[in-house]
């Protein structure tokens, strides 16, 4: 199966989270391209394929960088998705990943068996936030009907859905409504959830979470957006563990969907 996966890297006090994120992605079997905002050290490009903003593969016409070249939370997602579509037009699935997401090793082979759960499934999040909607009694993938998304740490996209979001006018309409410079626009998760609802695509969620929302212990200021530590509803719901055997975790559910 052909994948195109992009990691959106924001400037932080150190690169611990980004390194953990990229190492976990590699261990799971994916190959990542890093889309690095200004402030990410150049040495990242020595180890990982990296595009340093404001560089792009194809320039999205609605992106307005800040004076320092920064795209920001919403715009870097839009441009990353546009770049992924340009880099590999024939990908079977695309993935957008945030730089503090640590995925379990078995996630790639596991999720490939479940694409796509319905004809209108446009996106799957394998990060399940610690919110009531995701606290299911048994491991499963479920149709997530909430408006907005609580965290877009690791999103998998059906190609035609991603193209519609990126090039269908929704990004332009959203960025025109923000009351700040577009590079300061935040809450990409809320916008993407509402955009999926608006254009008629479903979002499904895997629970428990296959992704850990990493933050350094004892540090409250790691978030690039000032959100504080990944605790409470900002943490994963029952992260399965870095080396989890997903066939065992999801065994009964998998037997039901694969019969």
């Amino acid at each position: 199966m052909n994948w195109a996966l992009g990691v959106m890297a924001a400037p932080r006090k150190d690169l611990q989270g980004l390194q953990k994120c990229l190492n976990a992605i590699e261990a799971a079997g994916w190959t990542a391209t890093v889309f690095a905002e200004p402030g990410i050290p150049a040495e990242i490009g020595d180890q990982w394929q990296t595009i340093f903003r404001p560089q792009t593969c194809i320039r999205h016409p609605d992106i307005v960088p800040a004076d320092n070249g920064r795209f920001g939370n919403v715009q870097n997602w839009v441009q990353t998705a546009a770049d992924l579509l340009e880099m590999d037009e024939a990908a079977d699935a695309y993935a957008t990943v945030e730089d503090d997401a640590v995925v379990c090793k078995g996630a790639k082979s596991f999720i490939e068996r479940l694409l796509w759960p319905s004809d209108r499934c446009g996106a799957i999040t394998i990060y399940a936030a610690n919110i009531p909607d995701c606290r299911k009694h048994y491991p499963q993938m479920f149709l997530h009907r909430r408006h907005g998304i609580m965290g877009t740490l690791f999103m998998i996209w059906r190609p035609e859905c991603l193209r519609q979001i990126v090039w269908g006018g929704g990004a332009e309409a959203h960025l025109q409504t923000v009351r700040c410079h577009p590079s300061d626009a935040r809450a990409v998760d809320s916008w993407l959830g509402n955009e999926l609802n608006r254009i008629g695509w479903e979002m499904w969620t895997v629970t428990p979470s296959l992704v850990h929302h990493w933050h350094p212990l004892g540090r409250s200021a790691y978030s690039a957006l000032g959100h504080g530590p990944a605790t409470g509803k900002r943490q994963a719901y029952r992260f399965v563990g870095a080396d989890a055997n997903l066939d065992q975790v999801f065994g009964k559910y998998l037997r039901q969907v694969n019969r």
Side-chain angles (χ1 to χ4, degrees), residues 20-244:
K20 289 180 181 293
C21 171
L22 293 170
N23 288 335
I25 286 170
E26 186 177 69
W30 279 293
T31 299
T33 299
V34 180
F35 296 90
E37 286 274 67
I40 299 295
E43 53 263 32
I44 284 294
D46 297 334
Q47 187 175 2
W48 311 98
Q49 178 174 301
T50 305
I51 294 174
F52 290 94
R53 302 300 190 206
Q55 297 176 9
T56 65
C57 296
I58 179 173
R59 187 59 179 269
H60 194 287
D62 301 316
I63 301 301
V64 183
D67 291 341
N68 63 0
R70 183 178 180 273
F71 287 0
N73 181 237
V74 173
Q75 290 197 133
N76 199 22
W77 185 92
V78 173
Q79 186 59 64
T80 293
D83 285 339
L84 289 174
L85 289 165
E86 178 70 10
M87 291 168 62
D88 193 344
E89 296 180 356
D92 301 302
Y94 296 88
T96 54
V97 184
E98 297 180 7
D99 61 352
D100 51 0
V102 178
V103 65
C104 67
K105 284 184 180 178
K108 180 176 180 288
S109 58
F110 170 81
I111 203 65
E112 285 181 345
R113 295 158 61 184
L114 298 175
L115 296 180
W116 298 93
S118 79
D119 291 340
R120 292 305 299 170
C121 174
I124 296 171
T125 170
I126 60 173
Y127 167 73
N130 187 24
I131 57 175
D133 289 350
C134 294
R135 297 173 194 152
K136 302 298 184 182
H137 293 301
Y138 57 89
Q140 61 186 277
M141 178 188 288
F142 67 97
L143 175 58
H144 204 153
R145 299 183 183 276
R146 67 174 280 130
H147 292 278
I149 305 171
M150 184 60 69
T152 50
L153 273 80
F154 203 117
M155 299 288 298
I156 297 166
W157 300 93
R158 186 190 289 262
E160 51 267 45
C161 173
L162 190 64
R163 291 190 184 94
Q164 189 173 355
I165 292 175
V166 173
W167 298 112
E172 177 185 16
H174 177 65
L175 290 168
Q176 288 178 348
T177 67
V178 298
R179 299 180 180 180
C180 58
H181 191 279
S183 64
D184 293 323
R186 300 184 177 187
V188 68
D189 51 355
S190 295
W191 169 61
L192 285 173
N194 291 331
E195 185 69 6
L196 284 166
N197 288 329
R198 186 185 71 83
I199 61 179
W201 287 98
E202 298 172 353
M203 184 187 80
W204 290 63
T205 298
V206 175
T207 185
S209 185
L210 308 188
V211 173
H212 171 50
H213 191 177
W214 184 86
H215 76 280
L217 294 175
R219 191 186 306 173
S220 62
Y222 187 74
S223 170
L225 298 177
H227 290 155
T231 57
K233 66 181 180 181
R234 296 191 65 247
Q235 67 186 0
Y237 174 63
R238 291 174 52 205
F239 175 52
V240 293
D243 300 312

